Amino acid sequence: MDFKSEERQNLLSRLLDAVKQCQIRFGGKRELATDMDPRICCLCQQLEAVLQHGLRQPEASNTPFRQMRDAIAQNFSINLSGAPPEPPVFWHYVRLHLTRHEYERYLLLVNIHSDAGRGRAWLRSALNESSLERYLHALIGDREGMARFYEPWAVLADPEKNAMLPNIAAGLSSVLFAISIDRQELNGAARPRPRPPDLSAAPPSREPEAVVKAQSVGED
């Protein structure tokens, strides 16, 4: 197994483990899975790592999507000029598969001001809205777009590996996600290869207040 193959396998293995931990903790329960729990944070980071893997440098050409972004920014009086170019982030590819309304939604988030942040916000909202599986089918089905944005050795460009991604997302359908999508912290630099947290040493996650109250009422 060459280095790139091993890297792809390791990324998928860590993602599968993160999904399994979330299923064990939240699957089939009415309890909300929020980013207060380290398992949810780890899941988001592993998904980011897979989507970030093997991205090409963004094209400098004046693409239709850049034109659309500039038009929307001008319409809403958002100043995007003078911003330094960002490193490649998966938002550059994801945005090709959004409707205009969806695109505007992430452009107008109050606390998100970078493409890295918009990608993370999209990922979290896709989990919240149980639409990640549908988006992944679109992402891996766009062969022409994938060739433009990803290297041939990327996870998303590997037919054997990328075919697993929609099924992995489908495995999260029993989890009720309620992850914050408009937070300053999401603007940070892209994190290509995160490590899962040591859950054995982590304190037990605090259940959402609504769940605790519901349990108290049931006991009464």
Side-chain angles (χ1 to χ4, degrees):
M1 181 182 294
D2 60 40
F3 173 75
K4 293 300 182 183
S5 296
E6 183 177 0
E7 188 175 56
R8 289 193 297 270
Q9 185 59 49
N10 288 338
L11 284 168
L12 282 178
S13 295
R14 290 197 292 268
L15 175 58
L16 286 168
D17 183 65
V19 169
K20 180 180 178 181
Q21 295 299 325
C22 290
Q23 289 172 330
I24 293 173
R25 177 64 179 85
F26 295 102
K29 301 178 182 179
R30 291 185 297 174
E31 180 180 356
L32 297 179
T34 73
D35 43 1
M36 295 291 290
D37 190 283
R39 299 166 186 82
I40 303 305
C41 295
C42 179
L43 173 66
C44 291
Q45 291 176 7
Q46 301 301 337
L47 285 167
E48 290 172 23
V50 168
L51 294 169
Q52 191 71 18
H53 184 249
L55 277 169
R56 297 180 183 271
Q57 288 294 328
E59 298 177 0
S61 60
N62 191 25
T63 65
F65 291 92
R66 178 170 297 180
Q67 295 173 6
M68 181 172 70
R69 182 199 69 174
D70 293 343
I72 294 172
Q74 183 177 5
N75 186 45
F76 288 94
S77 300
I78 301 174
N79 182 18
L80 297 178
S81 62
E86 294 185 344
V89 289
F90 61 85
W91 169 253
H92 298 154
Y93 182 50
V94 167
R95 65 186 180 184
L96 302 181
H97 302 88
L98 302 179
T99 65
R100 182 184 179 91
H101 174 74
E102 290 170 333
Y103 183 77
E104 290 179 4
R105 173 189 179 188
Y106 298 109
L107 189 65
L108 297 175
L109 290 173
V110 174
N111 296 305
I112 302 298
H113 54 73
S114 69
D115 284 347
R118 293 181 187 100
R120 294 188 180 115
W122 163 81
L123 176 59
R124 285 153 178 77
S125 66
L127 288 170
N128 290 343
E129 298 162 9
S130 300
S131 57
L132 183 59
E133 180 185 2
R134 171 172 59 85
Y135 279 120
L136 286 173
H137 276 298
L139 295 179
I140 65 179
D142 182 5
R143 298 296 182 183
E144 182 178 349
M146 192 184 305
R148 285 176 52 210
F149 285 87
Y150 285 90
E151 300 288 352
W153 43 264
V155 173
L156 258 65
D158 184 328
E160 180 182 348
K161 303 298 184 186
N162 68 25
M164 300 172 59
L165 297 178
N167 293 331
I168 292 174
L172 294 167
S173 60
S174 63
V175 178
L176 297 178
F177 289 99
I179 310 173
S180 301
I181 69 168
D182 193 5
R183 299 174 54 196
Q184 284 280 358
E185 293 85 348
L186 299 182
N187 290 304
R191 295 163 291 189
R193 298 184 64 184
R195 295 291 181 181
D198 182 4
L199 297 178
S200 62
S205 60
R206 186 180 65 182
E207 294 188 342
E209 184 178 354
V211 175
V212 175
K213 289 183 178 179
Q215 292 175 345
S216 300
V217 172
E219 292 174 357
D220 294 341

